[in-house]
Amino acid sequence: QVQLEESGGGLVQPGGSLRLSCAASASIFNNGVMGWYRQAPGKERELVANITTGGTTNYAESVKGRFTISRDNAANTVYLQMNSLKPDDTAVYYCNARNYIGNYWGKGTLVTVSP
């Protein structure tokens, strides 16, 4: 079975930092692209960042220079380090894994950036 579990969301002040974690099933972690998406109320789900098995990264323009995606292959875990957070970063953040078989999603973790 496929399993993706996000953690690390919460309430943070503007300018603060959070680190999100996603623990994945080895069967999909080792064979596909891992990514983070987010969805704010009333908006479409959008790509935040992703990372290939080879370590190549891709970021949305809105988070470049502030967010960093990384992966720990031994732990089957992908991380999203978020710095200099803004109110516009408020959203539910979803872990994603995709390979030639399918596209898999975690349940999401809420990030709220507010004074």
Side-chain angles (χ1 to χ4, degrees), residues 15-77:
S17 298
L18 285 173
R19 189 180 74 161
L20 306 183
S21 299
C22 174
S25 301
S27 60
I28 57 173
F29 186 88
N30 294 329
N31 293 284
V33 178
M34 302 295 299
W36 289 96
Y37 290 71
R38 68 186 182 187
Q39 187 167 24
K43 296 185 177 180
E44 295 291 319
R45 188 173 299 183
E46 64 176 353
L47 173 70
V48 177
N50 59 26
I51 184 168
T52 69
T53 56
T56 301
T57 57
N58 180 58
Y59 296 92
E61 284 293 327
S62 61
V63 307
K64 285 183 178 178
R66 300 189 297 123
F67 292 10
T68 303
I69 189 171
S70 62
R71 60 193 293 159
D72 183 340
N73 293 337
N76 297 324
T77 301

Side-chain angles (χ1 to χ4, degrees), residues 62-105:
S62 61
V63 307
K64 285 183 178 178
R66 300 189 297 123
F67 292 10
T68 303
I69 189 171
S70 62
R71 60 193 293 159
D72 183 340
N73 293 337
N76 297 324
T77 301
V78 62
Y79 302 96
L80 185 69
Q81 178 66 47
M82 304 186 294
N83 299 325
S84 302
L85 283 161
K86 305 174 181 179
D88 286 348
D89 295 319
T90 296
V92 177
Y93 284 70
Y94 296 91
C95 184
N96 171 259
R98 71 170 68 219
N99 57 28
Y100 62 92
I101 297 176
N103 192 24
Y104 312 99
W105 298 92

